[in-house]
């Protein structure tokens, strides 16, 4: 199965079964830096890893909702796009796609900087880091990117460089269910694609709101798992964006992406 076919499994809601089957066929090579879970700003990328990422991604700022952000992504011009996924030496490269949920969140933050200005922001499941980058560009006082994939962490450092930003702190620890941090805002792009993950997120986000009054913004293009999850009835629609043609083509059947505010008792305050 080639990379672009693998993407469809996620869109069709079969990511979990597929990922499990795929992982049982091969193990990810061990990564020395996986042991260190928190990278403070200024962490550098291992030269071999940098070379791999640079060789196997393309710098792009088109075909998505935020042309002002440059990203290294896997595109049809990259060799792995057409190759069998078995040949990809690391875990599923979610970070190599700029997902519609993250696109909508980033667009919203760039257009409404007051949402993050002077605030501390956690980008949970940050992938390529575009939403965290949008938060930095819009004046957030503190940004932490969190993704359990260490390669995503490396890709985010490269993406910060591309946008002439000092890399923000990154943590690759699974923080869902851990102690609630003092975040003003948590943003989550395309994170409700798996029922178990969605349940864990729902529980933890509720705790963040209850204990810290954290604001929560969720970007999602209307995935089946998200629409049918019980969190959906407690969301307030903030804005809906029509997806660019190439994002539509890559996201089988999805035409728009929505930013939702999760405030169980009241909706997000204005700027
Ligand atoms: C569909 S991608 C979305 C990436 C990005 N937010 C975007 O919209 O482009 C989901 C990301 O969540 C990460 N992820 C999955 N489970 C996670 C967890 N428990 N904690 C943090 N990140 C997680 C994956 O590694 C992946 O990069």
């Amino acid at each position: 199965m080639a990379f672009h076919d693998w993407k469809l499994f996620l869109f069709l809601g079969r990511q979990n079964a597929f990922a499990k089957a795929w992982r049982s066929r091969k193990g990810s090579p061990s990564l020395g830096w996986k042991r260190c879970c928190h990278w403070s700003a200024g962490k550098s990328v291992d030269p071999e890893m940098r070379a791999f990422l640079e060789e196997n991604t393309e710098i792009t700022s088109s075909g998505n909702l935020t042309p002002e952000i440059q990203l290294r992504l896997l595109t049809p011009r990259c060799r792995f796009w057409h190759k069998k996924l078995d040949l990809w030496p690391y875990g599923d490269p979610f970070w190599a796609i700029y997902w519609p949920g993250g696109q909508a969140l980033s667009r919203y933050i760039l257009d409404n900087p007051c949402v993050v200005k002077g605030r501390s922001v956690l980008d949970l499941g940050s992938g390529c880091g575009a939403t965290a980058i949008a938060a930095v560009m819009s004046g957030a006082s503190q940004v932490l990117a969190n993704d359990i994939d260490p390669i995503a962490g490396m890709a985010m450092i490269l993406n910060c460089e591309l946008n002439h930003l000092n890399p923000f702190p990154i943590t690759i620890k699974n923080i869902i269910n851990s102690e609630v941090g003092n975040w003003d805002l948590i943003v989550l792009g395309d994170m409700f694609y798996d029922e178990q993950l969605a349940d864990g997120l729902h529980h933890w986000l509720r705790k963040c709101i209850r204990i810290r009054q954290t604001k929560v913004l969720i970007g999602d293009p209307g995935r089946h798992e998200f629409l049918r999850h019980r969190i959906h009835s407690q969301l307030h629609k903030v804005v809906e964006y029509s997806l660019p043609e190439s994002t539509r083509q890559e996201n089988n059947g999805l035409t728009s992406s929505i930013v939702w505010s999760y405030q169980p008792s009241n909706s997000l305050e204005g700027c």
Side-chain angles (χ1 to χ4, degrees), residues 9 14 25 27 30 68 78 88 97 113 120 150 160 169 173-174 177 186 199 228 231 245 267 271:
F9 276 86
R14 287 185 229 146
R25 291 208 315 269
S30 73
E68 51 277 75
C78 299
W88 180 262
I97 302 164
S120 55
C160 283
K173 200 175 137 195
N174 189 346
N177 288 328
I186 299 177
D199 286 347
R228 70 174 187 189
I231 195 174
E245 190 49 41
S267 59
C271 294

Side-chain angles (χ1 to χ4, degrees), residues 47-261:
E48 245 179 69
M49 199 60 217
R50 176 184 288 272
F52 177 84
L53 294 176
E54 287 178 352
E55 196 186 319
N56 290 294
T57 55
E58 183 186 25
I59 297 174
T60 178
S61 58
S62 60
N64 60 59
L65 288 171
T66 59
E68 51 277 75
I69 300 178
Q70 298 220 74
L71 297 167
R72 286 199 163 275
L73 299 174
L74 239 153
T75 71
R77 283 170 293 284
C78 299
R79 66 185 173 123
F80 274 105
W81 186 268
H82 305 283
K83 281 198 174 186
K84 285 203 165 152
L85 194 57
D86 307 50
L87 300 174
W88 180 262
Y90 303 110
D92 310 8
F94 286 90
W95 57 266
I97 302 164
Y98 187 10
W99 300 90
Q103 289 188 31
L105 274 175
S106 307
R107 183 69 269 150
Y108 177 64
I109 288 171
L110 290 169
D111 288 347
N112 301 275
C114 53
V115 170
V116 298
K117 204 171 178 71
R119 294 185 173 160
S120 55
V121 179
L122 168 66
D123 181 8
L124 184 54
S126 39
C128 64
T131 307
I133 288 173
V136 174
M137 285 176 163
S138 300
S141 59
Q142 238 189 88
V143 172
L144 176 67
N146 168 229
D147 198 297
I148 50 170
D149 182 354
I151 313 273
M154 297 286 156
M156 279 189 257
I157 294 175
L158 298 193
N159 286 333
C160 283
E161 288 173 9
L162 272 181
N163 292 282
H164 313 290
L165 300 175
N166 289 327
F168 32 73
I170 296 165
T171 180
I172 55 170
K173 200 175 137 195
N174 189 346
I175 60 171
I176 303 171
N177 288 328
S178 67
E179 206 182 311
V180 166
N182 200 8
W183 302 104
D184 295 321
L185 175 68
I186 299 177
V187 289
L188 307 97
D190 255 299
M191 284 296 284
F192 288 79
Y193 56 87
D194 171 84
E195 196 181 341
Q196 205 183 339
L197 178 60
D199 286 347
L201 285 170
H202 187 200
H203 178 76
W204 191 71
L205 292 172
R206 261 202 324 239
K207 206 163 127 190
C208 294
I209 293 170
R210 197 180 63 243
I211 298 175
R212 303 273 190 193
Q213 290 78 50
T214 313
K215 303 228 180 284
V216 175
L217 291 175
I218 296 171
D220 189 277
R223 295 196 192 285
H224 185 60
E225 291 70 18
F226 178 64
L227 296 179
R228 70 174 187 189
H229 195 273
R230 62 187 188 285
I231 195 174
H232 198 260
S233 62
Q234 296 162 42
L235 301 177
H236 307 266
K237 185 171 167 178
V238 177
V239 63
E240 179 165 3
Y241 297 102
S242 177
L243 291 168
E245 190 49 41
S246 62
T247 303
R248 288 180 184 209
Q249 278 170 18
E250 288 178 14
N251 288 270
N252 227 17
L254 300 175
T255 56
S256 69
S257 188
I258 297 179
V259 175
W260 299 92
S261 157

